[in-house]
């Protein structure tokens, strides 16, 4: 059994590698070679923990992975620690043998952004160059790095309820990624003209509504990773074309959950999931003007496929 730190994982995988790994995971799921269970949630003071488990069949080995993450939104301000921390345990799914223990921070960041980028490849307009990021944390940067692998991004706006954080993000991340970013003073100023919108906040009340979004926009909604969170208004969800990463998960913990609770949508309104998109069994964008929401709650298939790739690269070295 090997142990891999965050820096070691970062040295093994680039953003485009996570795109390939996550897409392989969803292709495997569409072919019945990968499956995940509903997440387990463990509440705690100031945050909570979740456990996600999945199997994934690679080219030669069948893997099983379990990720146990803590999510404490006040960590940075209170302790100078990341919001999300945890571990991934990777095992051989045929023998049960433990293969690796990995720091989960880098994997969680990159696989989440990769799923959004894969969805954008199918659902955003191909000429999308203007992006808006709502929530200026680590996921915001990871998403920009992943999205520019599939779209011709040139720049855009960033917004955060902490305006100083947005200013710092634009000043630091823009030049580092070769993007012309500016901090918007208000949400609509960031999103109204954007062709791609990423919402990666810890909001518990929806903040993105119909009037905040232009026709043809693609929205990657990733913040609602438990049943207490929500970013997209039920009205916007109901008026948009909605795809999900995993329907069963989104119906109980995503922005879809909030739309269902408000009687604005039903699970049957969902056009398709990411496995269907990558396998070509459902069609992506149909018109230039339709607003498309990708409701992403984060599935363990992404973790298992990414961890398998990381393990195989580590062993090869």
């Amino acid at each position: 059994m090997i142990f891999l730190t965050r820096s070691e994982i970062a040295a093994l995988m680039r953003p485009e590698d996570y795109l390939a790994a996550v897409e392989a995971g969803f292709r495997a799921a569409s072919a019945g070679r990968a499956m995940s269970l509903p997440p387990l949630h463990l509440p705690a003071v100031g945050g909570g923990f979740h456990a996600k488990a999945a199997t994934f069949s690679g080219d030669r080995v069948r893997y099983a992975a379990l990720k146990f993450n803590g999510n404490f939104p006040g960590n940075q301000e209170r302790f100078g620690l990341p919001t999300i921390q945890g571990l991934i345990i990777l095992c051989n799914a045929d023998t049960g043998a433990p293969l690796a223990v990995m720091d989960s921070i880098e994997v969680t960041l990159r696989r989440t952004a990769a799923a959004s980028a894969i969805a954008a490849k199918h659902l955003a307009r191909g000429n999308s160059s203007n992006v808006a990021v709502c929530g200026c944390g680590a996921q915001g940067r990871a998403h920009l790095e992943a999205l520019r692998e599939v779209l011709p991004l040139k720049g855009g706006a960033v917004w955060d309820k902490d305006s100083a954080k947005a200013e710092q993000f634009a000043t630091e991340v823009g030049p580092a990624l070769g993007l012309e970013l500016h901090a918007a003073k208000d949400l609509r100023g960031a999103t109204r003209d954007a062709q791609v919108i990423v919402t990666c906040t810890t909001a518990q009340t929806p903040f993105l509504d119909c009037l905040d979004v232009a026709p043809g926009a693609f929205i990657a909604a990733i913040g609602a990773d438990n049943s207490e969170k929500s970013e997209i208004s039920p009205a916007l969800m109901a008026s948009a074309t909605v795809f999900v990463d995993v329907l069963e998960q989104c119906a109980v913990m995503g922005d879809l959950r909030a739309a269902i609770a408000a009687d604005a949508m039903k699970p049957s309104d969902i056009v398709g999931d990411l496995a269907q998109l990558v396998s070509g069994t459902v069609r992506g964008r149909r018109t230039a003007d339709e607003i498309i929401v990708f409701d992403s709650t984060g599935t363990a298939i992404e973790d298992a496929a990414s961890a398998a790739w990381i393990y195989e690269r580590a062993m090869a070295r």
Side-chain angles (χ1 to χ4, degrees):
M1 183 167 57
I2 63 172
F3 296 82
L4 295 170
T5 66
R6 181 180 182 182
S7 61
E8 289 169 336
I9 293 168
L12 290 168
M13 297 276 284
R14 299 165 296 179
E16 59 266 33
D17 297 323
Y18 281 97
L19 264 69
V22 171
E23 185 160 340
F26 282 104
R27 287 190 185 279
S30 70
R33 296 185 294 106
M35 60 83 65
S36 62
L37 296 176
L40 168 70
H41 292 278
L42 180 64
V45 176
F49 297 88
H50 65 254
K52 295 182 176 181
T55 58
F56 165 72
S57 294
D59 294 333
R60 299 177 301 277
V61 181
R62 288 194 294 177
Y63 295 98
L66 170 67
K67 183 174 76 173
F68 188 65
N69 266 3
N71 188 325
F72 289 78
N75 263 4
Q76 184 61 49
E77 291 76 16
R78 296 180 63 195
F79 308 113
L81 293 172
T83 298
I84 295 176
Q85 303 170 94
L87 296 172
I88 296 173
I89 301 171
L90 184 70
C91 297
N92 184 306
D94 290 319
T95 67
L99 302 175
V101 176
M102 306 179 188
D103 185 282
S104 70
I105 293 177
E106 186 74 8
V107 181
T108 300
L109 273 176
R110 298 297 179 180
R111 64 73 148 155
T112 304
S116 295
I118 293 165
K121 183 169 65 172
H122 294 275
L123 302 176
R125 289 181 291 184
N127 63 349
S128 298
S129 60
N130 190 344
V131 64
V133 175
C134 305
C136 296
Q139 271 295 355
R141 176 167 184 154
H143 268 73
L144 290 176
E145 291 174 342
L147 286 167
R148 67 177 184 168
E149 295 292 328
V150 298
L151 296 173
L153 297 185
K154 295 181 179 178
V158 299
W159 173 84
D160 195 283
K161 63 180 182 180
D162 182 344
S163 58
K165 192 174 182 180
E167 291 282 357
Q168 182 179 6
F169 186 96
T171 301
E172 294 179 358
V173 176
L177 301 185
L179 299 174
E180 296 183 7
L181 300 178
H182 69 274
K185 295 181 179 179
D186 56 65
L187 173 69
R188 191 168 297 175
T191 61
R192 182 59 190 172
D193 296 325
Q195 296 159 314
V196 174
I197 301 170
V198 179
T199 60
C200 45
T201 74
T202 59
Q204 296 187 348
T205 302
F207 59 85
L208 192 71
D209 210 340
C210 299
L211 295 179
D212 302 318
V213 181
F218 165 73
I219 304 165
I222 69 161
D225 59 359
N226 67 47
S227 60
E228 296 179 355
K229 296 181 181 179
S230 183
E231 298 179 307
I232 315 300
S233 75
L236 176 53
M237 291 286 289
S239 66
T241 302
V242 181
F243 291 79
V244 296
D245 54 0
V246 178
L247 178 57
E248 293 79 6
Q249 259 187 221
C250 291
V252 297
M253 58 189 280
D255 281 296
L256 174 60
R257 176 207 59 79
I260 292 172
D263 291 327
M265 291 186 72
K266 303 182 297 295
S268 58
D269 294 326
I270 298 303
V271 177
D273 61 31
L274 204 48
Q276 293 170 320
L277 277 174
V278 301
S279 64
T281 57
V282 298
R283 183 181 174 185
R285 176 172 289 274
R286 291 170 170 78
T287 69
D289 287 341
E290 67 179 327
I291 294 171
I292 299 181
V293 173
F294 173 57
D295 188 9
S296 176
T297 53
T299 168
I301 291 172
E302 300 161 8
D303 299 309
S306 298
W309 279 48
I310 292 164
Y311 172 75
E312 291 180 0
R313 290 189 172 195
M315 294 303 291
R317 294 190 183 186

